[in-house]
Amino acid sequence: VSLLVAPALYMGNYVTKDPVREASKFRQEYEAFGEAIHRVCDSDDKIYFIDQGSSGLSYYLTKYLARPNTITGHFSIGKPVYEGDEFTQEMTAGQFWQILVEEEYDYVAIYRRDCGFIEEFGCLFADQAQLQDDTIYRVNRERGQLEKAGCSEKEGNHA
């Protein structure tokens, strides 16, 4: 019975294009952030990407959509989000700032932050009230802080 049903399911997906539609809708969420990176950053800028609690899919998708910009980072930093969290790179605000300066990052792109991130790393931002998702921050080495440089045009964000 499953042999008869399986081809029909595949044929239905082919005809309706549901998987393509779903993938396109999923990708749109990240395209606005990739476009914001293009607006704010030059192609030779080095960008540290953060998506707290992520397993990395958003990192790789944004890295692709933001080409030719260089996107790197550990995508989730600070204290582990859950027991056994192997995706979060444990570090303090001081260690993070040291990485940004020593490795000559120009921007930090925050796709998603959480309360733990704000608590641990909020001290690095010029204005904690402007610390939000889908936002790009300039690394200001002279002032020792991250300054808002731009954000995606998703609903709820204001440049």
Side-chain angles (χ1 to χ4, degrees), residues 20-115:
V20 174
R21 215 173 284 114
E22 287 175 30
S24 178
K25 185 177 177 183
F26 176 79
R27 183 177 158 161
Q28 282 177 351
E29 183 178 329
Y30 298 95
E31 284 176 341
F33 198 49
E35 289 168 8
I37 290 170
H38 287 289
R39 272 195 321 276
V40 172
C41 307
D42 292 330
S43 62
D44 59 343
D45 287 332
K46 191 172 179 183
I47 305 158
Y48 196 104
F49 180 84
I50 294 174
D51 182 1
Q52 283 304 105
S54 169
S55 61
L57 178 62
S58 58
Y59 167 78
Y60 291 106
L61 194 50
T62 302
K63 186 173 181 153
Y64 171 77
L65 293 169
R67 289 173 304 140
N69 298 90
T70 302
I71 304 279
T72 60
H74 288 100
F75 46 87
S76 189
I77 62 173
K79 295 182 178 114
V81 179
Y82 53 87
E83 189 175 326
D85 180 1
E86 52 192 63
F87 300 108
T88 300
Q89 176 67 39
E90 203 164 343
M91 69 175 77
T92 64
Q95 291 168 325
F96 181 49
W97 183 257
Q98 187 175 358
I99 288 169
L100 294 175
V101 171
E102 288 179 1
E103 296 183 22
E104 299 181 352
Y105 281 92
D106 300 293
Y107 293 93
V108 173
I110 298 180
Y111 181 72
R112 180 177 46 212
R113 49 59 180 144
D114 61 12
C115 293

